[in-house]
Amino acid sequence: MLRMAGGESGALGELYDRYHEPIRRFIARATSDAEDVDDLVHAVFLAAATSAGRYDGRDCCRPWLIGIAVQHLRRRRQARGRFFAVLSALAGAPRKVADPGPALNARGDVERALRAISEPKRVALLMAEVEEMTCPEIAAVLGVPIGTVWTRLHAARRELRALLAGAEP
Amino acid sequence: MMPAACPRLFEAEAMRDGRLAGAERASFVRHTTSCAICRREVEALEALGAALRAGGGARADELHDLRERTRLVGAFDRALVAPRRRSGALRWAPWAATAAAMIAAAILVARPRPNVERAPALVVTAAAGAVWSRHGGEGRETIVLEQGELWIRVDHARGATALVVALPDGELEDTGTIFTVSVGGGRTTRVAVAEGSVSLRIRGLPPMTVGRGESWVPAPPSPLPSAPQRGRTPSPARPAPPRRASAAPAATPDEADPALDFRAAVAVLDAGANREAAAAFARFLATHPGDPRAEDAAYLHVIALQRSGADDEMKRAAQEYLRLYPAGFRRGEVEKLSR
């Protein structure tokens, strides 16, 4: 991180080599394999490079990079939300909430079930279960109270299990 | 028969999320050894987590990774990190330089008008209260002194061009010198030469050369004629010879007719008889077209006509001046009058 803060592009290359795979996987799952996954990964590592001087010094960079990724996901979601709100306003009708049922054509497909739940819940669940971040860490990264994290995790698990079981969540 | 639900079931998720700690956690762990519902819940949550950890999108191919890596490092080098590559003091160097430049500019703006203007070959030092300006020209530098005293050093060996000091009542031309010139009350009051020499041309007086160690001061003013009389030329003031003449005084009265005619015309102009002065200068130009004072006479002819309100004549005279003296000393001023 110190080398990167000093402007060594080689250090950024090393960081990318070490962490790009889990970061890319996290972003891909959080966004349901959106088309802009590569751009988001790119943005995360560039943001890491520009803020390397503020790195908190922990041994593993992965939670820190996940935190940056979550910030980018949130901005992306907010931008898309505004976009859809404008579209809905133009259409004169509220946006219809997608029914997750049809997406689950194959039972037991965790990935498909994961895509069926909302992004905030999905992100919280991925941070907790895949990235093994603690709830206080997740709350800090998301900028929400820890109770909100617990609530999102509980709802995410309930919905995911229901989807995997083939029942309505 | 197992109960349909256990009241402690929620603790399975609480334990997983870290909400149970210490004695509460230990109590629930013991509970799971005896409660199959809670044990299965713990196992189900763990299985869900394992499924999530085992999942994940398809891994990007190696070529894709390499391409993205190159794109990332390139962007890092190009856009985002380039300004941050400076470290420590260097990062602040541009700001420090900018601040220093602003402070220097503020000092230059805030301080009084400098009394000393320096050039490689020409140094002008103005006494306090001096009113003067400097104008560059083609092959000639002109200093206009309206009031006060200037100390001037001209070093022709260092490439100085010809220097003329325009005075309210004449002009001074340098020939490689250090000299002091003073003006007061609209007239030249003193010229002192430390090195070299100057050519001094004072209105109504013949040209003079003031050499090293010499000084010139005007003679006490002689009363001007109360009103010019047609056909009669007033007596011009006689020049004062340079004092401390280590060499023979260079300035001597010029009794030749062109000088008399010129001085007479100037005296009429000084007296405010502008129409008569214009006629006198026109006669001078017609009679002595090759005289060294012809350019001055042409200029004063224009001035006399302008003062008299004869605009058309003045413009014609100005155009004639420009035709005869395209690089004349007063070209700029005459050009304005000719339009």
Side-chain angles (χ1 to χ4, degrees):
Chain A
M1 280 296 168
L2 287 174
R3 287 168 52 210
M4 201 160 63
E8 278 192 44
S9 56
L12 176 61
E14 289 177 26
L15 188 77
Y16 181 84
D17 291 342
R18 192 177 301 176
Y19 294 111
H20 82 274
E21 208 172 300
I23 298 301
R24 188 180 196 285
R25 192 163 57 238
F26 175 84
I27 291 174
R29 298 176 89 185
T31 61
S32 303
D33 276 329
E35 292 179 351
D36 55 352
V37 170
D38 285 336
D39 290 337
L40 285 166
V41 173
H42 190 92
V44 167
F45 279 94
L46 276 182
T50 55
S51 57
R54 298 194 297 272
Y55 183 61
D56 57 13
R58 71 181 81 177
D59 292 337
C60 180
C61 293
R62 185 166 165 172
W64 182 65
L65 292 170
I66 290 293
I68 295 173
V70 167
Q71 305 301 326
H72 280 80
L73 289 171
R74 183 165 54 195
R75 282 199 286 272
R76 173 181 178 274
R77 185 171 65 248
Q78 289 168 346
R80 287 162 67 93
R82 285 193 294 271
F83 175 70
F84 284 122
V86 170
L87 285 183
S88 298
L90 290 173
R95 181 173 167 239
K96 188 178 178 181
V97 178
D99 179 8
L104 281 174
N105 293 326
R107 289 185 179 181
D109 187 337
V110 176
E111 295 307 312
R112 285 175 180 260
L114 195 61
R115 290 174 195 172
I117 64 177
S118 69
E119 189 174 303
K121 295 174 197 166
R122 188 165 62 232
V123 167
L125 189 63
L126 290 170
M127 292 172 81
E129 298 294 353
V130 179
E131 302 303 325
E132 299 179 338
M133 295 171 71
T134 65
C135 287
E137 285 176 331
I138 296 170
V141 168
L142 295 178
V144 297
I146 194 168
T148 302
V149 175
W150 291 333
T151 303
R152 286 182 186 177
L153 287 175
H154 176 71
R157 290 188 184 109
R158 188 186 68 233
E159 291 175 21
L160 193 62
R161 290 167 76 178
L163 288 166
L164 290 171
E168 286 296 319
Chain B
M1 186 175 175
M2 276 193 309
C6 175
R8 299 189 67 178
L9 187 64
F10 73 95
E11 291 185 50
E13 194 170 4
M15 184 173 69
R16 186 164 188 83
D17 290 343
R19 283 181 278 162
L20 295 183
E24 290 178 328
R25 180 185 176 89
S27 171
F28 184 72
V29 169
R30 282 195 302 274
H31 171 73
T32 58
T33 59
S34 59
C35 177
I37 295 174
C38 289
R39 188 169 59 248
R40 278 202 297 274
E41 178 70 4
V42 170
E43 291 169 353
L45 291 171
E46 176 55 37
L48 182 65
L52 286 167
R53 285 190 292 278
R59 190 179 184 279
D61 64 81
E62 191 176 345
L63 187 61
H64 179 86
D65 285 346
L66 189 61
R67 194 162 50 239
E68 287 300 307
R69 187 187 196 278
T70 304
R71 186 165 75 103
L72 173 70
V73 174
F76 178 76
D77 279 338
R78 272 196 315 276
L80 284 174
V81 186
R84 294 173 174 268
R85 302 190 83 161
R86 305 181 190 97
S87 61
L90 281 178
R91 189 181 307 165
W92 296 99
W95 296 101
T98 304
M102 290 176 70
I103 291 168
I107 291 171
L108 286 173
V109 169
R111 73 177 188 177
R113 182 188 175 96
N115 283 335
V116 178
E117 180 173 346
R118 292 186 181 279
L122 173 63
V123 179
V124 181
T125 303
V131 181
W132 64 287
S133 58
R134 181 174 168 182
H135 310 272
E138 195 172 338
R140 169 181 277 192
E141 189 109 24
T142 302
I143 291 172
V144 178
L145 176 59
E146 299 175 42
Q147 178 71 30
E149 185 174 89
L150 297 180
W151 178 89
I152 299 172
R153 184 182 71 192
V154 186
D155 189 350
H156 289 277
R158 299 176 70 181
T161 56
L163 173 70
V164 171
V165 180
L167 304 163
D169 55 350
E171 64 182 17
L172 178 155
E173 186 166 358
D174 148 78
T175 55
T177 51
I178 297 175
F179 62 93
T180 304
V181 56
S182 306
V183 166
R187 60 198 293 248
T188 305
T189 55
R190 183 172 179 267
V191 175
V193 177
E195 289 181 18
S197 63
V198 298
S199 295
L200 180 62
R201 296 186 284 273
I202 298 295
R203 191 177 301 146
L205 300 177
M208 296 167 277
T209 299
V210 183
R212 180 182 180 183
E214 296 177 340
S215 62
W216 174 90
V217 291
S222 58
L224 286 172
S226 57
Q229 295 179 4
R230 195 176 296 275
R232 180 182 170 192
T233 56
S235 301
R238 295 185 65 83
R243 295 176 180 173
R244 281 194 61 221
S246 56
T252 54
D254 185 354
E255 301 297 338
D257 286 345
L260 285 174
D261 289 349
F262 184 82
R263 289 201 297 269
V266 169
V268 174
L269 183 67
D270 282 343
N274 297 315
R275 288 298 303 183
E276 288 77 7
F281 285 119
R283 281 197 301 276
F284 180 91
L285 290 168
T287 309
H288 313 289
D291 189 85
R293 286 156 290 210
E295 182 185 343
D296 288 344
Y299 168 74
L300 293 173
H301 183 213
V302 174
I303 297 302
L305 289 170
Q306 189 228 7
R307 289 180 182 174
S308 66
D311 289 345
D312 291 341
E313 286 181 72
M314 180 268 291
K315 287 180 182 175
R316 283 195 294 274
Q319 287 159 5
E320 181 66 7
Y321 173 95
L322 295 172
R323 186 184 69 79
L324 291 171
Y325 310 103
F329 176 52
R330 294 183 166 93
R331 176 184 175 82
E333 188 179 350
V334 175
E335 273 183 337
K336 292 176 187 170
L337 294 171
S338 69
R339 290 193 285 266

